[in-house]
Amino acid sequence: MSLEELHLNLRNLMSDDYDQLKALMDAVYHDIGGSWPKHTIDKLIQEFPDGQIAIEDDGLLVGVALTVQVDYDEFSNPHKYDDLIGHREIILNDEDGDAMYGLDVLIHPDYRGYRLGRRLYEARKELCRSMNLRAILAGGRIPEYHQHADELTPAQYIDKVSRKEIYDPILSFQQANDFQVKRLLRKYLPEDEQSRGYATLLEWNNILFEPAASVLDNKPTQVRVGAVQWQMREFSSVEAALQQIEYFVDALSDYQSDFAVFPELFNAPLMGLQDRAAQQDQMGAIRFLAGFTERFKSELSRMAVSYNINIVGGSMIEVGDDDRLYNIAYLFHRDGTVERQAKLHITPQERRDWVIEGGDELQVFDTDAGRVGILICYDVEFPELGRLLADQDMDILFVPFWTDTKNGYLRVRHCSQARAIENECYVVLCGSVGNLPSIENLDIQYAQSAVFSPSDFAFPHDAVLAETTPNTEMIFFSDLDLTRLTVVRAEGSVTNLKDRRKDLFDLRWRDWSWKSGANLED
């Protein structure tokens, strides 16, 4: 039969299909009793119609998948096939079950080789996701085991099939469709002589499952990020700077953004409020700038609440309890909470001209729109930090930056893209533009802000979700689908986080609580 002759249609099984179904089951299951009686199939269709899936070719039934709902806790533990069967061969469907159980998958002998089984399995998975069920379970026969039973235990046989040293038509197929062997079932189907009564308990885990008890508390899976490619400009007063900031927060809020993002040290032009002679003292100028931080924190927190938007406040200079200077990114939640992330790695220029110190804490922040991390500019060039954040289930990494030249910008950009790929997360890169020759160390800026994604089929071909015009003040937006991150981490073309060789290497955060007095987690 040629592919051109096929006219396949995927649909739900109907009672009128029984005669064809019986013939198909009798042919496939001739060694273990053949077909179910009609009243069994009718009852199954009546109780769980969506779970009975068929493929027809011009009206000929060529593939079938029969499924029931079950209680996960009961059937993820040892059980027998008979536990699914009630009086008069009625298959026990639990309409309140939180999992699906795959009973049978049958393909007409003349239609094998067309991957129809895979179509049926994908339809089952889609149904499982749409019903928000925990998993698909199945008791899988191992029909080739009888050929190896004299020299291999069932566990050894399963291991060799997993390693592809032995081919088993059922187990090999199940594993190729992302089912994992959870345990060995004994006396599962005693009449199955080919499997010697053994079976594997297989499970496909629905990574999108949300427990019913928490449905009302679920965080959104669609997150809108808005960011400002900010122009460094001279301000006549602090009020003028705050007015410009509020203008952008208002605009981003009007577009219903969940986050408003600003660049690193975006209030640095306020150093220009000093007279020119005072600006020559760079240490004095940066401490002068730090004097505005508390007011900015208060005003940005007010804006976050008033405009109902989380604000990543770029970064600002803070005088610590030790009277040293730190470069701090503040996260202003729209519920009024304020959190902070210090820049950990200080550039030679910051250390030399401003004597800024590096912080010693790193964390992921829980927000109402996902778990986020912040790495300020130079920090993103150290891959260990992104990985430590990814290990805490970070969804979005914000990178406020400030670079003066294109080569400096490209270091930040390329490292940010690498963090998105290796940590399977979104990265939001936000920088400043413009020239301020009258202010020391603010002469020139270069930026092209962007949003990066993992590099896989669910994302843009170049893994760039949004990008600004270089060196132009503007706002930009990107809608981030957090569900896609969940899927790519579990089922992507590559799964970087899952495939790490932790048997060879690991990464830990060193506890500096003895130094800072903070309670840090390893």
Side-chain angles (χ1 to χ4, degrees), residues 235-494:
F235 290 109
S236 60
S237 66
V238 178
E239 289 73 22
L242 289 169
Q243 183 179 25
Q244 185 69 18
I245 293 167
E246 188 158 3
Y247 161 75
F248 282 120
V249 171
D250 187 8
L252 295 172
S253 176
D254 283 344
Y255 286 97
Q256 299 181 323
S257 292
D258 295 293
F259 291 97
V261 189
F262 289 89
E264 178 184 20
L265 296 181
F266 67 115
N267 69 344
L270 293 179
M271 288 190 287
L273 296 180
Q274 290 183 301
D275 60 51
R276 190 61 183 259
Q279 291 180 42
Q280 300 307 307
D281 175 11
Q282 294 189 44
M283 279 295 300
I286 200 69
R287 282 188 174 266
F288 175 78
L289 180 64
F292 300 113
T293 296
E294 285 304 314
R295 183 172 179 187
F296 267 69
K297 286 171 61 179
S298 176
E299 287 297 308
L300 282 165
S301 184
R302 174 190 63 80
M303 293 179 205
V305 175
S306 298
Y307 291 97
N308 190 29
I309 190 169
N310 302 298
I311 300 176
V312 179
S315 75
M316 291 176 270
I317 299 298
E318 178 183 283
V319 180
D321 294 336
D322 54 5
D323 199 42
R324 296 179 178 181
L325 299 180
Y326 297 89
N327 188 350
I328 307 293
Y330 297 97
L331 174 60
F332 303 95
H333 296 257
R334 49 186 156 198
D335 66 0
T337 306
V338 180
E339 297 185 281
R340 65 198 299 279
Q341 175 61 61
K343 188 173 186 177
L344 305 183
H345 297 86
I346 305 304
T347 64
Q349 178 268 322
E350 290 174 294
R351 190 183 309 112
R352 179 184 63 247
D353 295 343
W354 292 337
V355 196
I356 291 176
E357 300 282 335
D360 53 21
E361 296 183 43
L362 180 72
Q363 63 176 312
V364 169
F365 304 101
D366 260 318
T367 75
D368 56 13
R371 288 174 61 78
V372 309
I374 303 173
L375 294 179
I376 304 172
C377 197
Y378 194 31
D379 279 341
V380 82
E381 298 179 30
F382 297 84
E384 298 88 351
L385 298 182
R387 179 52 48 85
L388 286 165
L389 294 171
D391 284 341
Q392 299 177 61
D393 300 322
M394 172 185 64
D395 300 310
I396 307 169
L397 175 61
F398 293 105
V399 182
F401 74 97
W402 173 22
T403 53
D404 53 358
T405 62
K406 187 171 183 179
N407 60 317
Y409 160 73
L410 288 175
R411 284 196 301 269
V412 176
R413 179 190 177 101
H414 294 327
C415 290
S416 295
Q417 286 189 287
R419 302 299 84 84
I421 292 170
E422 67 201 15
N423 297 307
E424 298 169 327
C425 65
Y426 296 110
V427 177
V428 181
L429 190 64
C430 182
S432 56
V433 301
N435 303 313
L436 277 174
S438 63
I439 299 178
E440 193 75 23
N441 284 331
L442 292 182
D443 309 50
I444 55 174
Q445 335 287 322
Y446 186 95
Q448 184 179 21
S449 304
V451 180
F452 304 124
S453 72
S455 186
D456 214 324
F457 296 115
F459 305 99
H461 72 94
D462 57 359
V464 179
L465 288 167
E467 201 168 34
T468 62
T469 303
N471 288 343
T472 302
E473 184 173 64
M474 61 187 296
I475 61 175
F476 68 107
F477 301 91
S478 186
D479 287 339
L480 311 182
D481 187 341
L482 302 187
T483 300
R484 290 186 178 183
L485 295 182
T486 304
V487 173
V488 79
R489 290 167 182 167
E491 302 174 1
S493 300
V494 293

Side-chain angles (χ1 to χ4, degrees), residues 56-271:
E56 64 178 359
D57 179 24
D58 275 341
L60 175 66
L61 202 66
V62 298
V64 174
L66 303 178
T67 315
V68 291
Q69 285 180 255
V70 296
D71 177 76
Y72 177 85
D73 289 337
E74 179 180 356
F75 284 91
S76 61
N77 285 300
H79 62 277
K80 298 180 175 62
Y81 193 72
D82 284 347
D83 294 334
L84 294 158
I85 314 302
H87 180 62
R88 294 185 64 243
E89 296 189 89
I90 295 298
I91 300 171
L92 302 176
N93 182 75
D94 180 358
E95 63 180 13
D96 296 320
D98 58 352
M100 290 166 57
Y101 196 102
L103 291 168
D104 299 293
V105 171
L106 309 106
I107 304 298
H108 192 290
D110 294 343
Y111 285 78
R112 290 172 185 168
Y114 294 112
R115 298 180 179 267
L116 302 189
R118 184 177 294 274
R119 294 195 193 196
L120 293 169
Y121 269 64
E122 290 302 317
R124 263 186 185 164
K125 292 175 185 177
E126 186 57 38
L127 178 62
C128 184
R129 292 189 186 103
S130 67
M131 294 181 66
N132 190 37
L133 298 178
R134 183 185 299 273
I136 303 174
L137 301 170
R141 300 169 59 210
I142 43 176
E144 296 302 305
Y145 176 58
H146 68 282
Q147 298 182 10
H148 305 271
D150 291 339
E151 66 270 9
L152 297 175
T153 66
Q156 290 171 332
Y157 175 80
I158 292 168
D159 182 64
K160 285 186 174 292
V161 174
S162 298
R163 293 174 178 274
K164 294 184 169 57
E165 296 173 14
I166 297 175
Y167 175 78
D168 184 279
I170 293 180
L171 180 55
S172 297
F173 174 76
Q174 298 272 18
Q175 291 182 326
N177 282 276
D178 302 321
F179 277 73
Q180 303 296 317
V181 176
K182 307 300 290 186
R183 64 174 71 244
L184 180 68
L185 299 175
R186 302 173 187 277
K187 298 182 180 179
Y188 178 76
L189 200 61
E191 62 269 31
D192 180 8
E193 295 182 0
Q194 289 184 317
S195 303
R196 295 293 194 262
Y198 291 104
T200 56
L201 176 59
L202 298 144
E203 178 176 340
W204 177 82
N205 180 42
N206 177 13
I207 58 176
L208 305 180
F209 170 69
E210 292 287 351
S214 67
V215 166
L216 292 179
D217 299 324
N218 284 348
K219 294 176 181 176
T221 59
Q222 298 286 333
V223 175
R224 177 164 294 172
V225 170
V228 182
Q229 184 159 280
W230 171 265
Q231 180 171 333
M232 293 290 199
R233 52 168 62 80
E234 292 189 41
F235 290 109
S236 60
S237 66
V238 178
E239 289 73 22
L242 289 169
Q243 183 179 25
Q244 185 69 18
I245 293 167
E246 188 158 3
Y247 161 75
F248 282 120
V249 171
D250 187 8
L252 295 172
S253 176
D254 283 344
Y255 286 97
Q256 299 181 323
S257 292
D258 295 293
F259 291 97
V261 189
F262 289 89
E264 178 184 20
L265 296 181
F266 67 115
N267 69 344
L270 293 179
M271 288 190 287

